[in-house]
Amino acid sequence: MTTAVFFDLDLTLLRYTADFETIFDRAVPDAPDGAYDRYLSVFFDAFEDLAVDPYAVGFEAITGEFDIGDDPEALVARYAEAELAATTVPASAREALVRVADRRPTGILTNGAPAVQRAKLERHDLAGVVDAVVVSNDPAVASRKPDSGVFEAAETALPADDYVYVGDTYDEDVVGARDAGWEAYHVGDDGPGDDPAAVESVAEAAARIFGEDDA
Ligand SMILES: [Mg+2]
């Protein structure tokens, strides 16, 4: 029996040192009033519609509607760099991922734009650690958590008998994984606190995956 393990990326393996608005302000200094809110609204609509580059859709909208002295391509590039620069990977999370990847088929399953999610993995030298990377807004996937399609894409990417998912968002990650027939570990503090999936950390999830929780 082979068990494959997939990890969520944002706020499971990655931490952020700045919030969305701060990242936006770094990419678009002196943005006109309302530009950020409009960007965010268009971005999330495009994200949920599975656009391959929701950042471009968002910046195209605000450069058309506000007086911003840059073209959308330049803004997308600056925003991506600002977002990447605001990410960190705790050593404990990296160690846990490497530990699991040494012993199980291991992948990343993430809701996001393929170019940006893959750039985060490259930036933190995580791409080479895992065997598969599945991103919701990749046109070949075109399904986002909690929908089962993205989990099915992960099963196709990494054939195994059983699957485990480790994520921080209860409704997307834990509920989505279970609906797809997967086991789940939950590293976040949303959702019911008494769920047996709850763990304190990615390291604890790895320990439970290896049956070490009573050690
Ligand atoms: Mg997450």
Side-chain angles (χ1 to χ4, degrees):
M1 289 280 284
T2 305
T3 299
V5 182
F6 278 84
F7 290 82
D8 171 53
L9 185 56
D10 293 311
L11 303 179
T12 295
L13 297 174
L14 288 189
R15 294 281 178 277
Y16 280 81
T17 59
D19 61 20
F20 278 172
E21 187 160 11
T22 302
I23 293 168
F24 181 88
D25 287 342
R26 289 171 182 167
V28 195
D30 306 317
D33 286 350
Y36 171 69
D37 288 340
R38 178 67 177 146
Y39 165 80
L40 204 61
S41 169
V42 174
F43 170 85
F44 275 116
D45 284 349
F47 183 67
E48 291 182 6
D49 287 344
L50 298 167
V52 68
D53 190 350
Y55 301 89
V57 179
F59 282 114
E60 281 162 11
I62 63 166
T63 52
E65 297 170 20
F66 295 87
D67 182 17
I68 297 174
D70 284 296
D71 59 42
E73 292 77 14
L75 293 166
V76 168
R78 284 217 305 274
Y79 188 94
E81 183 50 39
E83 181 171 338
L84 289 172
T87 59
T88 63
V89 177
S92 60
R94 172 188 301 280
E95 288 164 11
L97 178 70
V98 169
R99 195 162 166 257
V100 171
D102 280 346
R103 294 170 62 179
R104 300 282 188 275
T106 299
I108 302 293
L109 191 174
T110 171
N111 279 356
V116 172
Q117 298 305 85
R118 289 177 186 278
K120 292 173 186 170
L121 294 171
E122 294 291 341
R123 186 180 187 97
H124 297 289
D125 292 324
L126 296 178
V129 175
V130 296
D131 305 300
V133 177
V134 176
V135 186
S136 62
N137 291 36
D138 182 333
V141 176
S143 171
R144 54 198 294 279
K145 299 177 289 184
D147 294 343
S148 290
V150 68
F151 292 94
E152 289 163 7
E155 293 174 358
T156 301
L158 213 51
D161 299 303
D162 293 303
Y163 293 86
V164 176
Y165 192 49
V166 181
D168 70 292
T169 306
Y170 191 85
D171 290 341
E172 288 183 350
D173 297 340
V174 175
V175 174
R178 286 175 176 161
D179 284 350
W182 294 25
E183 189 177 353
Y185 291 107
H186 180 223
V187 296
D189 52 16
D190 59 329
D194 59 351
D195 192 291
V199 290
E200 290 290 323
S201 64
V202 177
E204 186 185 341
R208 295 220 0 217
I209 286 165
F210 294 138
E212 300 166 341
D213 36 323
D214 295 327

